[in-house]
Every structure is written in C-alpha cells, then in structure tokens.
Amino acid sequence: MAKTRPGKRDIDSYTIRGTNKVVRAGDCVLMRPSDTGKPPYVARIEKIEMDGRNNVKVRVRWYYRPEESIGGRRQFHGAKELFLSDHYDVQSAHTIEGKCTVHSFKNYTKLENVGAEDYYCRFEYKAATGGFTPDRVAVYCKCEMPYNPDDLMVQCEGCKDWYHPACVGMTIEEAKKLDRFVCSECSSDEDVKKPQITFSASPAADAKKVHIV
C-alpha cells in the first residue's frame, strides 16, 4: 500500500538563503530570473508553505515593470516604477534574492534618498488585458504628461501648474538657480522681466486634470 505524503503547512517566515534576512507574508522580495541578464523580478509574498520534505514554496503576486506590460514603458514612467499585477504564482523560496520596499507613489515622492531596494507603485495592472486601475491620473505642464518623480518640475506661482524646464525653454541647471517661476500665460509685461521659480510640494499633490492611461 502506498504511503501518503504529509501535507503542506503554512509557515510564518522564511530566512533568505545565505543571509540573515527574514521574509513574511506581505513582504516584497527580489526574485532571481531564469535569464541572468535580466534584473530581478519583484513580487509580494502572499503565503509561505513547507511540504513534508521541508521544501519551502512561496505564493507570490508579481509586480510588473513598465517594459513588461502590454503598453510598454512610457515617458512618464519612473525608473523605479512598478505595477501590482493580478498575476499570482508559486515559486521555490530559494529563488528569493533579497527584500525590497514598494512604496506608495505619495510616500516615494517624499523620500530624501532613494535606495537600490526602493520602488513605487501607483497602478494595479491586469496582465491579460493590459488594463490599469486607476485608468486616469493627473497630468501637468504644456506637454500634459503624468508626473514622473525622476524629472525636475517647477511650479507657476500664478496658475499653480507644474512645468518641465525644457517645456518652458529652460535647462535643468537654469531652473535650479532661480527662486520663483511664473509661466508665460500668467506673466504680465513686468513679470516677464523677473524670472521666478518655486519648489514647493511635489506635483503629486496638485492635480490639474486627468489622463486616461
């Protein structure tokens, strides 16, 4: 008579092989890709299981990088931007390389220093259809693009809209040297003679209109 194998059981944590870092359900991790030329995959651990032979597997929910999505990477996508997908999977815990942090978009824009393990997410992504939630985001500047936290923007004191320096005829270096800014639409003849720039809150706080992703 065949022996029945012991069933799987949930465990609270797993120590990443070769490290002293402990991961638990809810943590975000970097996972080793099969192609060594690619950056590590990013996933959120949903559950950790161990079978009767002490093999540990993790149920994960994948984050997608913009270039992995159906629409591809676009101008407003930041270098550290990820989409939380509806793609779930089960992987060996041995493929976990390290831990990382996926911040909310708002919290990411407030970071003083962005580390190698810092990412952010502002969209959920449906892997089968390429759809996003939310499907509308605020846009800024003459170019009417969503905010990319990697790009410097300056705020007009008049209309409170945000602008890329290049879109208003300035270099980034020039923008950094000025104190306050008034856009051409808000400038009077006197104001034009006095370039002004201000750096207040991040553009994420001042939605102008919406953009369908």
Side-chain angles (χ1 to χ4, degrees):
M1 187 172 177
K3 293 182 179 178
T4 56
R5 291 183 179 177
K8 297 176 182 177
R9 60 187 176 90
D10 292 350
I11 58 176
D12 292 332
S13 63
Y14 169 77
T15 302
I16 300 173
R17 180 188 277 183
T19 75
N20 58 0
K21 294 181 178 178
V22 177
V23 295
R24 295 178 172 84
D27 287 346
C28 294
V29 293
L30 302 169
M31 305 194 78
R32 185 170 58 252
S34 53
D35 183 347
T36 55
K38 290 185 176 181
Y41 297 127
V42 182
R44 189 175 74 190
I45 295 177
E46 302 291 308
K47 188 164 70 168
I48 308 172
E49 294 179 339
M50 179 183 288
D51 65 18
R53 296 182 177 180
N54 293 332
N55 295 314
V56 180
K57 292 189 179 295
V58 286
R59 177 172 167 80
V60 298
R61 185 175 181 182
W62 293 113
Y63 284 96
Y64 279 43
R65 289 182 169 83
E67 54 269 26
E68 296 165 345
S69 68
I70 291 174
R73 179 172 286 278
R74 298 173 65 179
Q75 181 181 340
F76 64 88
H77 291 142
K80 306 304 289 289
E81 183 156 8
L82 302 170
F83 311 142
L84 181 61
S85 79
D86 57 354
H87 179 188
Y88 292 84
D89 208 352
V90 176
Q91 295 283 314
S92 167
H94 295 328
T95 61
I96 299 174
E97 293 185 335
K99 296 178 72 172
C100 63
T101 303
V102 180
H103 301 270
S104 69
F105 185 62
K106 184 177 181 180
N107 289 345
Y108 181 85
T109 61
K110 294 178 180 178
L111 292 178
E112 291 187 10
N113 297 297
V114 177
E117 285 79 37
D118 287 313
Y119 297 88
Y120 70 89
C121 176
R122 56 179 155 178
F123 299 111
E124 291 194 16
Y125 175 71
K126 292 189 180 300
T129 64
F132 289 94
T133 305
D135 62 357
R136 293 168 179 261
V137 291
V139 296
Y140 305 92
C141 190
K142 293 178 178 179
C143 63
E144 296 197 345
M145 293 295 289
Y147 176 44
N148 181 341
D150 299 337
D151 295 339
L152 173 72
M153 295 186 82
V154 294
Q155 187 180 35
C156 171
E157 286 199 332
C159 62
K160 302 301 182 185
D161 198 5
W162 291 81
Y163 294 87
H164 301 105
C167 294
V168 290
M170 286 187 294
T171 65
I172 291 176
E173 289 69 28
E174 288 170 338
K176 287 180 177 178
K177 290 176 183 177
L178 297 174
D179 296 322
R180 297 184 302 169
F181 170 69
V182 175
C183 74
S184 58
E185 292 186 10
C186 295
S187 295
S188 66
D189 290 340
E190 292 76 23
D191 290 329
V192 171
K193 299 173 185 175
K194 299 183 292 184
Q196 301 179 359
I197 281 226
T198 182
F199 301 92
S200 56
S202 83
D206 300 298
K208 180 181 74 172
K209 45 191 150 182
V210 294
H211 173 84
I212 299 175
V213 178

